[in-house]
Amino acid sequence: MAVRANTKDGDWKFGRGLADYIKDDAEISQNLKTRIQSFKNDWFLNVDANIDWLTLLGSRNKQEEIKREVERVALTTAGVARITLLELTVTNREASIQLSVVTIFNTLLNIELGITE
């Protein structure tokens, strides 16, 4: 399967035909980043998908719950075999995530994300 690649700003790439599509590890990495960064209730076909960032970042002492949610989303992302590292820092309604996963292609992907409420 292949998906349309995103720009640095997270928009879809257009104008280069099939060159604007990615697959394999690049596809898994992009899907994983997109799913983790997506807010719960954003997708009308499945309002329970993704992470309830507004509630979690707006409350105190939710670091373990956020970590469990990131793990859940990562492990249910197509192509992710297992998590090898998950480090999370939560401060002032922001989260910094360092995540390493092994894909079904036996490749290690290292991902760094920042989430802001």
Side-chain angles (χ1 to χ4, degrees):
M1 192 169 161
V3 296
R4 183 169 292 279
N6 287 345
T7 65
K8 291 178 186 177
D9 297 327
D11 295 325
W12 286 344
K13 285 188 177 181
F14 288 101
R16 295 181 43 220
L18 292 177
D20 286 329
Y21 288 84
I22 56 175
K23 60 182 181 175
D24 300 331
D25 286 329
E27 173 189 2
I28 295 167
S29 177
Q30 179 176 294
N31 285 342
L32 183 56
K33 289 176 189 175
T34 301
R35 292 189 70 221
I36 290 172
Q37 290 175 322
S38 295
F39 285 64
K40 189 174 183 176
N41 295 322
D42 275 354
W43 189 34
F44 70 95
L45 292 175
N46 186 354
V47 295
D48 292 326
N50 307 318
I51 299 174
D52 191 3
W53 288 115
L54 294 175
T55 300
L56 293 173
L57 290 178
S59 302
R60 293 180 186 228
N61 303 320
K62 294 289 186 174
Q63 189 154 343
E64 286 303 313
E65 189 173 346
I66 292 171
K67 194 172 187 176
R68 283 192 306 273
E69 284 294 293
V70 171
E71 287 175 346
R72 177 188 61 80
V73 169
L75 291 173
T76 58
T77 299
V80 172
R82 69 181 185 276
I83 297 172
T84 59
L85 171 74
L86 174 56
E87 292 182 0
L88 176 70
T89 305
V90 179
T91 56
N92 298 331
R93 298 180 183 243
E94 294 182 354
S96 296
I97 302 165
Q98 290 184 327
L99 178 66
S100 296
V101 298
V102 176
T103 70
I104 57 173
F105 303 111
N106 205 30
T107 307
L108 182 66
L109 298 178
N110 295 307
I111 297 170
E112 291 187 30
L113 296 169
I115 308 293
T116 304
E117 182 185 54

